[in-house]
Amino acid sequence: MFLFVGGIRKLRSFSTAAAQPYLLVREREVTVKSSSERVVTLNLLDPCKLETVKIPGKTLPTEVAKSLRIGSSKGWVALRDLQNSKLRLTNLFNPCASSPITITLAPVDGCYRGSVARVYNVSLSASPNQRDCVVAAKLFAPVVSLCRPGDSEWTHIETPNHFFTSAVMHSMRDQKFYLHSPDTAPTDLIKTCSGFMVFKQDHGKKLCSYTQDIGDLCIFLGKNESFCVSATKYPGLVPNSVYFEGILNGFGFYELSSNTVHDLTHLAPFSTFYLWLAPLE
């Protein structure tokens, strides 16, 4: 199903953007400021108003311009340097950021049996400019690596082999990191088919039950660390829905109560890397 709504909104600076979820689509290069810096126009989608947001004249510094986006957590984008194994965290792409910051983490060297494994996804326990932030990086290997911004090295923890391609995520309620196991069905809180099936977990009984009612919550799924927000807090979002993105499926949202998919891909420029950004904390 298609919703033919929306428009284009141009912002002069990040400070004029509302604090809410956004979909990072892609940037359009305008000029090359130097041999490494680029000036671009950022393209995002506002899921509340269903309109494209353009931010012109944004300078991407050298360390960002020469890095690959690999995911997002807590509204920050995780980057991998194309020339080495350094990871970076930046809020440069989030319209909610009042002062853009880029943080370089220690290189992920020799993390798995003497070789460097690529990072699968990144999860933050808190905003990286907070003192209690811990960064968890899940590798394309049975390894989770942990560090704090400012640490000189990572702590590597090997996991059972069936967690090889699992994603790591942080629970604010439990204050713990969890690994999703693709081989253990009861831990799959959300599964995709022609739409989405959501399972409510009873932590006491360690059971999951299927539900079509998550109240006014909206779940955001994709290459980002999954997150949910209240539709009441962000007017325009459709409550009891799953917002999704992907190269094959584009992006849109799925209403759980009516089992209806709304494809919104036509509202923004085509991209090979969509990325949901959570509201910054």
Side-chain angles (χ1 to χ4, degrees), residues 166-269:
S166 297
V168 63
M169 63 182 298
H170 182 260
S171 169
M172 295 295 292
R173 179 188 61 192
D174 300 338
Q175 290 297 298
K176 293 179 180 179
F177 288 104
Y178 287 97
L179 281 177
H180 168 265
S181 173
D183 301 325
T184 310
T187 64
D188 295 345
L189 298 184
I190 301 172
K191 297 182 178 181
T192 59
C193 46
S194 57
F196 292 86
M197 297 178 66
V198 178
F199 293 82
K200 185 176 181 180
Q201 189 173 41
D202 186 320
H203 285 267
K205 297 180 180 179
K206 296 184 178 180
L207 297 174
C208 293
S209 58
Y210 171 69
T211 182
Q212 288 183 294
D213 184 8
I214 57 174
D216 78 332
L217 293 180
C218 301
I219 301 173
F220 288 79
L221 298 178
K223 286 176 285 296
N224 55 286
E225 180 184 26
S226 302
F227 65 92
C228 64
V229 298
S230 166
T232 302
K233 186 175 180 180
Y234 302 102
L237 292 180
V238 179
N240 198 34
S241 294
V242 176
Y243 285 76
F244 62 89
E245 59 82 3
I247 295 176
L248 298 178
N249 301 323
F251 59 89
F253 66 94
Y254 177 77
E255 290 188 79
L256 293 171
S257 58
S258 61
N259 296 318
T260 304
V261 177
H262 299 275
D263 190 332
L264 305 178
T265 310
H266 61 285
L267 294 181

Side-chain angles (χ1 to χ4, degrees), residues 92-142:
L92 277 168
F93 298 101
N94 199 315
C96 308
S98 57
S99 56
I101 300 171
T102 299
I103 298 172
T104 300
L105 304 174
V108 190
D109 288 327
C111 55
Y112 183 59
R113 298 180 181 177
S115 63
V116 177
R118 289 191 298 122
V119 176
Y120 182 69
N121 84 303
V122 172
S123 175
L124 305 176
S125 66
S127 176
N129 52 7
Q130 297 179 9
R131 293 184 60 184
D132 59 346
C133 174
V134 176
V135 183
K138 177 61 182 66
L139 311 179
F140 277 103

Side-chain angles (χ1 to χ4, degrees), residues 62-70 78-88 104-105 107 119:
T62 303
E63 63 269 21
V64 174
K66 292 188 175 182
S67 295
L68 178 69
R69 283 174 281 182
I70 57 175
L79 307 165
R80 177 174 58 84
D81 196 297
L82 293 174
Q83 298 178 330
N84 52 51
S85 59
K86 288 183 179 179
L87 293 183
R88 294 186 173 90
T104 300
L105 304 174
V119 176

Side-chain angles (χ1 to χ4, degrees), residues 32-64:
V32 178
K33 192 173 182 180
S34 66
S35 59
S36 53
E37 290 187 340
R38 293 188 298 147
V39 178
V40 302
T41 295
L42 295 183
N43 289 289
L44 304 103
L45 181 87
D46 179 344
C48 298
K49 297 182 178 179
L50 295 183
E51 64 182 14
T52 300
V53 176
K54 292 183 177 292
I55 304 176
K58 185 63 183 175
T59 299
L60 300 185
T62 303
E63 63 269 21
V64 174

